[in-house]
Amino acid sequence: MATRTDAPTRREQILKEAARLFAERGFHGVGVDEIGAAVGISGPGLYRHFAGKDAMLAELLVGISGQLLTGAKRRLADAEADGDAGGGARAEVVLDSLIEGHIDFALDDRPLITLHDRELDRLRDSDRKMVRQLQRQYVELWVGVVREVYPGLGEPAARSAVHSVFGLLNSTPHLGRGGSLPGRGATAELLHRMARGAFAAAGV
């Protein structure tokens, strides 16, 4: 989501507004008519794009989990295609790239973090299992890279460190709103330093 530069489709506009409204007022506190009004169409018109609010929530949560995993795989593949860096140096580059990608998500898609925390249990079982499966793959990709950077770190410790860093990065909905945050660049740099510091501390 955060990396797109072309104009969003109507479907994407609906999802963005649904995420914002669900995060602000809760899933049951938002009606279809309100989501429609936010994108300039009638509530019933939304049913041309989605079967209902449940379908929107599922697409938001399954979708972002899939996008994070796809982005991480792409960053890993890009590093492997670069023959200039090898071994530990390549792993360092990949880890920094993974952190940057997750920070982009955490800063640009904060409503989705809130939604995941509050509304994941509202998904039907199959969708919730899909989210969990995608998240496990995402975590394991990180674990592999972290262990390349810190070879002495055991797998359980590396996994705990990854989850801890995710907790740090996903705290952005609680950092403040609008002008209460420092500039995006400064916030991203701070989060990156803190994430690398956490991994370094775990790898000692």
Side-chain angles (χ1 to χ4, degrees):
M1 286 187 175
T3 58
R4 284 184 59 106
T5 57
D6 52 328
T9 65
R10 176 50 60 93
R11 187 180 181 88
E12 289 168 335
Q13 291 172 344
I14 292 169
L15 286 172
K16 180 178 180 180
E17 290 303 316
R20 179 181 65 82
L21 291 168
F22 291 159
E24 288 177 357
R25 303 204 307 236
F27 182 74
H28 287 307
V30 179
V32 171
D33 289 341
E34 294 168 279
I35 299 172
V39 295
I41 62 177
S42 67
L46 287 180
Y47 292 108
R48 292 197 297 269
H49 301 277
F50 296 96
K53 290 198 306 177
D54 289 339
M56 293 179 208
L57 182 64
E59 184 154 337
L60 284 165
L61 295 183
V62 175
I64 193 57
S65 297
Q67 288 174 47
L68 284 169
L69 177 59
T70 298
K73 287 180 175 179
R74 183 179 63 250
R75 289 168 184 271
L76 184 58
D78 288 346
E80 289 176 345
D82 182 3
D84 293 337
R90 181 193 65 84
E92 293 273 1
V93 170
V94 175
L95 182 57
D96 281 331
S97 183
L98 289 176
I99 293 171
E100 288 167 7
H102 199 100
I103 288 173
D104 284 343
F105 155 68
L107 291 176
D108 295 338
D109 294 309
R110 286 187 283 171
L112 292 179
I113 297 174
T114 301
L115 270 188
H116 180 276
D117 290 345
R118 293 181 182 170
E119 312 290 359
L120 181 63
D121 287 344
R122 297 193 188 279
L123 295 182
R124 60 184 182 181
D125 287 346
S126 58
D127 290 327
R128 189 167 57 253
K129 287 177 181 177
M130 177 60 69
V131 169
R132 295 301 192 195
Q133 177 183 342
L134 292 167
Q135 289 175 339
R136 282 195 296 271
Q137 293 178 53
Y138 184 59
V139 168
E140 294 311 308
L141 187 151
W142 276 68
V143 168
V145 174
V146 168
R147 294 191 70 199
E148 284 190 62
V149 176
Y150 302 103
L153 195 60
E155 187 173 310
R159 190 172 293 107
S160 294
V162 168
H163 281 294
S164 296
V165 167
F166 287 173
L168 165 68
L169 301 182
N170 291 346
S171 68
T172 51
H174 309 290
L175 295 181
R177 295 181 179 275
S180 62
L181 274 174
R184 189 188 190 284
T187 301
E189 182 180 352
L190 174 61
L191 289 171
H192 197 125
R193 289 202 310 268
M194 294 174 71
R196 285 304 304 256
F199 283 132
V204 170

